[in-house]
Amino acid sequence: SQKIEQNSEALNIQEGKTATLTCNYTNYSPAYLQWYRQDPGRGPVFLLLIRENEKEKRKERLKVTFDTTLKQSLFHITASQPADSATYLCALGGSSNTGKLIFGQGTTLQVKP
Amino acid sequence: GAVVSQHPSRVICKSGTSVKIECRSLDFQATTMFWYRQFPKQSLMLMATSNEGSKATYEQGVEKDKFLINHASLTLSTLTVTSAHPEDSSFYICSGRRDRASGELFFGEGSRLTVL
């Protein structure tokens, strides 16, 4: 069955450092991969989308890589700030264009001042 | 980004009663909306895909008679949890897709259901 793995342990880093979160998947060939941010008790907020034919995408302090051979995506936040503290979810979408996404369980990031 | 409003944000009900959750796309038309539930520290689990003007498509293992979904207009989808039980207590989140090409989903703020 399809499986998405994100590090379930919280990631603690110091302000100003780069945070790197990992998303691995098996038994799936996604057409695209998305990253969302979720704060406690709130709905997820879209951050970035990267397609299967793209290696890297950037948006301000965010960078996403997508390696379809390794079946892995890395999500980087450079110059991290305490306000970046949240849970980050990766989600995979298929080629059928139904819009359905499969979500990982998320990794909680804590940026300490 | 587009705005999806979900109401109520919190609801407490007695076991055996029904609860309706509304999901509205405020500034775009959503021909498709998705309903998820999320347990603490777990992933979002897709329950069903709601299509405007037609029946919802439910994921395997989701009881369609228990979780009634109605998508009567391009801006409103509702989820009714019928005969709620304590195990239905969860965080329910809806999302809408504004643009088929982008794949980006816009989520509501979620509804915390507690069944006593």
Side-chain angles (χ1 to χ4, degrees):
Chain A
S1 61
Q2 301 161 348
K3 192 173 181 182
I4 303 174
E5 287 187 358
Q6 293 185 255
N7 194 339
S8 58
E9 292 184 12
L11 177 63
N12 295 296
I13 65 168
Q14 205 66 35
E15 181 177 10
K17 300 293 185 182
T18 296
T20 299
L21 286 71
T22 305
C23 176
N24 295 295
Y25 59 93
T26 55
N27 297 323
Y28 198 53
S29 295
Y32 57 90
L33 184 148
Q34 301 184 25
W35 284 88
Y36 287 80
R37 169 183 173 142
Q38 187 176 25
D39 291 286
R42 310 288 293 272
V45 175
F46 172 80
L47 296 175
L48 279 168
L49 179 152
I50 187 166
R51 300 192 183 279
E52 60 179 336
N53 59 349
E54 299 175 311
K55 297 289 186 186
E56 181 179 299
K57 204 77 154 305
R58 292 175 185 261
K59 180 182 175 182
E60 298 173 351
R61 294 185 295 114
L62 309 180
K63 184 178 85 170
V64 171
T65 62
F66 192 10
D67 189 325
T68 56
T69 301
L70 291 178
K71 294 186 181 295
Q72 179 183 78
S73 174
L74 298 179
F75 177 76
H76 307 272
I77 305 175
T78 58
S80 59
Q81 305 165 1
D84 295 327
S85 300
T87 296
Y88 291 86
L89 308 169
C90 78
L92 305 182
S95 58
S96 62
N97 204 25
T98 61
K100 288 172 60 172
L101 294 178
I102 302 172
F103 280 86
Q105 79 273 29
T107 297
T108 297
L109 171 66
Q110 189 72 36
V111 181
K112 298 181 186 298
Chain B
V3 179
V4 173
S5 174
Q6 200 171 329
H7 177 80
S9 57
R10 292 179 183 274
V11 57
I12 300 173
C13 70
K14 292 183 179 179
S15 187
T17 61
S18 294
V19 173
K20 179 186 282 188
I21 300 170
E22 291 188 348
C23 178
R24 293 180 184 274
S25 56
L26 299 185
D27 55 356
F28 68 101
Q29 294 184 330
T31 55
T32 303
M33 287 186 172
F34 302 93
W35 286 95
Y36 294 84
R37 68 186 296 182
Q38 186 178 34
F39 292 106
K41 297 192 184 300
Q42 292 191 25
S43 176
L44 276 74
M45 298 301 298
L46 180 64
M47 299 175 65
T49 302
S50 170
N51 299 297
E52 186 267 337
S54 63
K55 291 183 179 180
T57 304
Y58 290 81
E59 294 299 304
Q60 192 172 10
V62 178
E63 299 176 59
K64 62 180 181 180
D65 294 329
K66 181 167 186 58
F67 299 100
L68 300 179
I69 291 173
N70 184 282
H71 196 153
S73 76
L74 287 172
T75 59
L76 175 63
S77 177
T78 61
L79 167 68
T80 301
V81 183
T82 62
S83 186
H85 288 109
E87 57 265 30
D88 298 325
S89 298
S90 187
F91 192 51
Y92 293 88
I93 316 174
C94 70
S95 67
R97 185 171 63 163
R98 178 179 62 185
D99 177 0
R100 283 176 65 90
S102 73
E104 176 183 352
L105 294 184
F106 297 93
F107 283 84
E109 291 293 347
S111 300
R112 172 75 59 192
L113 170 63
T114 302
V115 185
L116 303 177

Coordinates of all heavy atoms in Angstrom, one line a residue, chain A residues 6-7 11 19 21-23 34-39 44-45 47 61-62 75-77 80-91 103-111:
Chain A
Q6 N 7.3 10.8 7.3 CA 8.0 12.0 7.7 C 8.5 11.7 9.1 O 7.9 10.9 9.9 CB 7.0 13.2 7.8 CG 6.5 13.6 6.4 CD 5.7 14.9 6.5 OE1 4.5 14.8 6.4 NE2 6.4 16.0 6.7
N7 N 9.6 12.3 9.5 CA 10.2 12.1 10.8 C 9.2 12.5 11.9 O 8.8 13.6 12.0 CB 11.5 12.9 10.9 CG 12.3 12.4 12.1 OD1 11.7 11.8 13.0 ND2 13.6 12.7 12.1
L11 N 11.7 18.3 15.4 CA 13.0 18.9 15.0 C 13.3 20.2 15.7 O 12.5 21.1 15.6 CB 13.1 19.1 13.5 CG 14.4 19.7 12.9 CD1 15.6 18.8 13.2 CD2 14.2 20.0 11.4
A19 N 16.6 24.7 8.6 CA 15.9 23.5 9.0 C 15.7 22.6 7.8 O 15.3 23.1 6.7 CB 14.5 23.9 9.6
L21 N 13.6 19.2 6.5 CA 12.7 18.2 6.8 C 12.6 17.2 5.6 O 12.8 17.6 4.5 CB 11.3 18.8 7.0 CG 11.0 19.5 8.4 CD1 11.8 20.8 8.4 CD2 9.6 19.8 8.5
T22 N 12.3 15.9 6.0 CA 12.4 14.9 5.0 C 11.0 14.2 4.8 O 10.3 14.0 5.8 CB 13.4 13.8 5.4 OG1 14.6 14.4 5.7 CG2 13.5 12.7 4.3
C23 N 10.7 13.9 3.6 CA 9.5 13.1 3.2 C 9.9 12.0 2.3 O 10.4 12.2 1.2 CB 8.5 14.1 2.6 SG 7.0 13.3 2.0
Q34 N 3.4 18.3 -2.5 CA 3.2 19.6 -1.9 C 3.6 19.6 -0.5 O 3.7 18.5 0.2 CB 1.7 19.9 -2.0 CG 1.1 19.9 -3.4 CD -0.4 20.4 -3.4 OE1 -0.9 21.0 -2.5 NE2 -1.1 20.0 -4.4
W35 N 3.9 20.7 0.0 CA 4.2 20.9 1.4 C 3.3 22.0 2.0 O 3.0 23.0 1.4 CB 5.7 21.4 1.6 CG 6.7 20.3 1.5 CD1 7.3 19.9 0.3 CD2 7.2 19.5 2.5 NE1 8.2 18.9 0.5 CE2 8.1 18.6 1.9 CE3 7.0 19.4 3.9 CZ2 8.9 17.7 2.6 CZ3 7.7 18.5 4.6 CH2 8.6 17.6 4.0
Y36 N 2.8 21.6 3.2 CA 1.8 22.5 3.9 C 2.4 22.7 5.3 O 3.1 21.9 5.9 CB 0.5 21.8 4.0 CG -0.3 21.7 2.8 CD1 -0.1 20.8 1.8 CD2 -1.4 22.6 2.5 CE1 -0.8 20.7 0.6 CE2 -2.1 22.6 1.3 CZ -1.8 21.6 0.4 OH -2.5 21.6 -0.8
R37 N 1.9 23.9 5.8 CA 2.2 24.2 7.2 C 0.9 24.1 8.0 O -0.1 24.6 7.6 CB 2.8 25.6 7.3 CG 2.9 26.1 8.8 CD 3.3 27.6 8.9 NE 3.2 28.0 10.2 CZ 4.1 28.8 10.8 NH1 5.1 29.3 10.1 NH2 3.9 29.2 12.1
Q38 N 1.0 23.5 9.2 CA -0.2 23.4 10.1 C 0.2 23.8 11.5 O 1.1 23.3 12.1 CB -0.8 22.0 10.1 CG -2.1 21.9 10.8 CD -2.7 20.5 10.8 OE1 -2.0 19.5 10.6 NE2 -4.1 20.5 10.9
D39 N -0.5 24.8 12.0 CA -0.4 25.3 13.3 C -1.4 24.5 14.2 O -2.5 24.1 13.7 CB -0.6 26.8 13.4 CG 0.6 27.5 12.8 OD1 1.6 27.5 13.4 OD2 0.4 28.0 11.6
P44 N -4.4 23.2 7.5 CA -3.1 23.3 6.8 C -3.1 24.5 5.9 O -4.1 24.9 5.3 CB -2.9 22.0 6.1 CG -3.8 21.1 6.7 CD -5.0 21.9 7.2
V45 N -1.9 25.1 5.7 CA -1.8 26.2 4.7 C -0.7 25.8 3.7 O 0.4 25.4 4.0 CB -1.3 27.5 5.5 CG1 -1.0 28.6 4.5 CG2 -2.4 27.9 6.5
L47 N 2.2 25.7 1.0 CA 3.5 26.4 0.9 C 4.1 26.3 -0.5 O 4.3 27.3 -1.1 CB 4.5 25.8 2.0 CG 4.1 26.0 3.4 CD1 5.1 25.3 4.3 CD2 4.0 27.5 3.8
R61 N 12.3 32.1 1.7 CA 13.3 31.3 2.5 C 13.1 29.8 2.4 O 13.8 29.0 3.0 CB 13.2 31.7 3.9 CG 13.7 33.2 4.2 CD 13.7 33.5 5.7 NE 12.3 33.5 6.3 CZ 11.9 32.6 7.2 NH1 12.7 31.6 7.6 NH2 10.7 32.6 7.7
L62 N 12.1 29.4 1.5 CA 11.8 28.0 1.4 C 12.4 27.3 0.2 O 12.5 28.0 -0.9 CB 10.3 27.8 1.4 CG 9.5 28.4 2.5 CD1 8.0 28.1 2.3 CD2 9.9 28.0 3.9
F75 N 12.6 19.4 2.4 CA 12.0 20.8 2.6 C 13.0 21.6 3.5 O 13.3 21.1 4.6 CB 10.7 20.6 3.2 CG 10.0 21.9 3.5 CD1 9.4 22.7 2.5 CD2 9.9 22.4 4.8 CE1 8.7 23.9 2.8 CE2 9.2 23.6 5.1 CZ 8.7 24.3 4.1
H76 N 13.5 22.7 3.0 CA 14.5 23.5 3.7 C 13.9 24.9 4.0 O 13.2 25.5 3.2 CB 15.7 23.7 2.9 CG 16.3 22.5 2.3 ND1 17.3 21.7 3.0 CD2 16.2 21.8 1.2 CE1 17.7 20.7 2.3 NE2 17.0 20.7 1.2
I77 N 14.1 25.3 5.2 CA 13.8 26.7 5.6 C 15.1 27.3 6.1 O 15.7 26.9 7.1 CB 12.8 26.7 6.8 CG1 11.5 26.0 6.5 CG2 12.5 28.2 7.2 CD1 10.6 25.9 7.7
S80 N 16.1 30.3 9.7 CA 14.8 30.0 10.4 C 14.5 31.0 11.6 O 15.4 31.6 12.2 CB 14.8 28.6 11.0 OG 15.9 28.5 11.9
Q81 N 13.3 31.2 11.8 CA 12.8 32.1 12.9 C 11.8 31.4 13.8 O 11.2 30.4 13.4 CB 12.0 33.3 12.2 CG 12.9 34.0 11.1 CD 12.0 34.9 10.3 OE1 10.8 35.0 10.4 NE2 12.6 35.6 9.3
P82 N 11.7 31.9 15.0 CA 10.7 31.2 15.9 C 9.3 31.1 15.3 O 8.6 30.2 15.6 CB 10.8 32.1 17.2 CG 12.2 32.7 17.2 CD 12.5 32.9 15.7
A83 N 9.0 32.1 14.5 CA 7.6 32.1 13.9 C 7.5 30.9 12.9 O 6.4 30.6 12.5 CB 7.4 33.4 13.2
D84 N 8.6 30.3 12.5 CA 8.5 29.1 11.6 C 8.1 27.9 12.4 O 7.9 26.8 11.8 CB 9.9 28.9 10.9 CG 10.3 30.0 10.0 OD1 9.4 30.6 9.4 OD2 11.5 30.3 9.9
S85 N 8.0 27.9 13.7 CA 7.7 26.8 14.5 C 6.3 26.3 14.2 O 5.3 27.1 14.3 CB 7.8 27.1 16.0 OG 9.1 27.5 16.3
A86 N 6.1 25.1 13.7 CA 4.8 24.6 13.3 C 5.0 23.1 12.9 O 6.1 22.6 13.0 CB 4.3 25.4 12.1
T87 N 4.0 22.5 12.5 CA 4.1 21.1 11.9 C 4.0 21.3 10.4 O 3.2 22.0 9.9 CB 2.9 20.2 12.4 OG1 3.1 20.1 13.8 CG2 3.0 18.9 11.7
Y88 N 4.9 20.6 9.7 CA 5.0 20.6 8.3 C 4.6 19.3 7.7 O 5.1 18.3 8.1 CB 6.4 21.1 7.8 CG 6.7 22.5 8.2 CD1 7.2 22.8 9.5 CD2 6.4 23.5 7.3 CE1 7.4 24.1 9.9 CE2 6.6 24.9 7.7 CZ 7.1 25.1 9.0 OH 7.3 26.5 9.3
L89 N 3.6 19.4 6.8 CA 3.1 18.2 6.2 C 3.5 18.1 4.7 O 3.4 19.1 4.0 CB 1.6 18.2 6.2 CG 0.9 18.4 7.6 CD1 -0.6 18.7 7.4 CD2 1.1 17.2 8.5
C90 N 3.9 16.9 4.3 CA 4.1 16.7 2.9 C 2.9 15.9 2.3 O 2.2 15.1 3.1 CB 5.4 16.0 2.5 SG 5.4 14.2 2.8
A91 N 2.5 16.1 1.1 CA 1.3 15.5 0.5 C 1.6 15.2 -1.0 O 2.3 15.9 -1.7 CB 0.1 16.4 0.6
F103 N -1.5 12.5 2.6 CA -0.7 13.3 3.5 C 0.2 12.4 4.4 O -0.2 11.3 4.8 CB -1.6 14.1 4.4 CG -2.1 15.4 3.8 CD1 -3.3 15.3 3.1 CD2 -1.4 16.6 4.0 CE1 -3.7 16.5 2.5 CE2 -1.9 17.7 3.4 CZ -3.1 17.7 2.6
G104 N 1.4 12.9 4.6 CA 2.2 12.3 5.7 C 1.7 12.8 7.0 O 0.9 13.7 7.1
Q105 N 2.3 12.2 8.1 CA 1.9 12.6 9.4 C 2.4 13.9 9.9 O 2.0 14.4 11.0 CB 2.1 11.4 10.4 CG 3.6 11.4 10.9 CD 4.5 10.6 10.0 OE1 4.3 10.5 8.8 NE2 5.5 10.0 10.6
G106 N 3.4 14.4 9.2 CA 3.9 15.7 9.6 C 5.1 15.6 10.5 O 5.3 14.7 11.3
T107 N 6.0 16.6 10.4 CA 7.1 16.8 11.4 C 7.0 18.2 12.0 O 6.7 19.2 11.4 CB 8.4 16.8 10.6 OG1 8.6 15.5 10.0 CG2 9.6 17.0 11.6
T108 N 7.1 18.1 13.4 CA 7.0 19.4 14.1 C 8.4 20.0 14.2 O 9.3 19.4 14.6 CB 6.4 19.1 15.5 OG1 5.1 18.6 15.4 CG2 6.3 20.4 16.3
L109 N 8.4 21.3 13.8 CA 9.6 22.1 13.9 C 9.5 23.1 15.0 O 8.5 23.8 15.1 CB 9.9 22.8 12.6 CG 11.0 23.8 12.5 CD1 12.3 23.1 12.7 CD2 11.0 24.6 11.3
Q110 N 10.6 23.1 15.8 CA 10.6 24.1 16.9 C 11.9 24.9 16.7 O 13.0 24.3 16.8 CB 10.6 23.4 18.3 CG 10.5 24.3 19.5 CD 9.1 24.9 19.6 OE1 8.1 24.2 19.3 NE2 9.0 26.1 20.0
V111 N 11.7 26.2 16.5 CA 12.9 27.1 16.3 C 13.1 27.9 17.6 O 12.2 28.6 18.0 CB 12.7 28.0 15.1 CG1 13.9 28.9 15.0 CG2 12.4 27.2 13.9

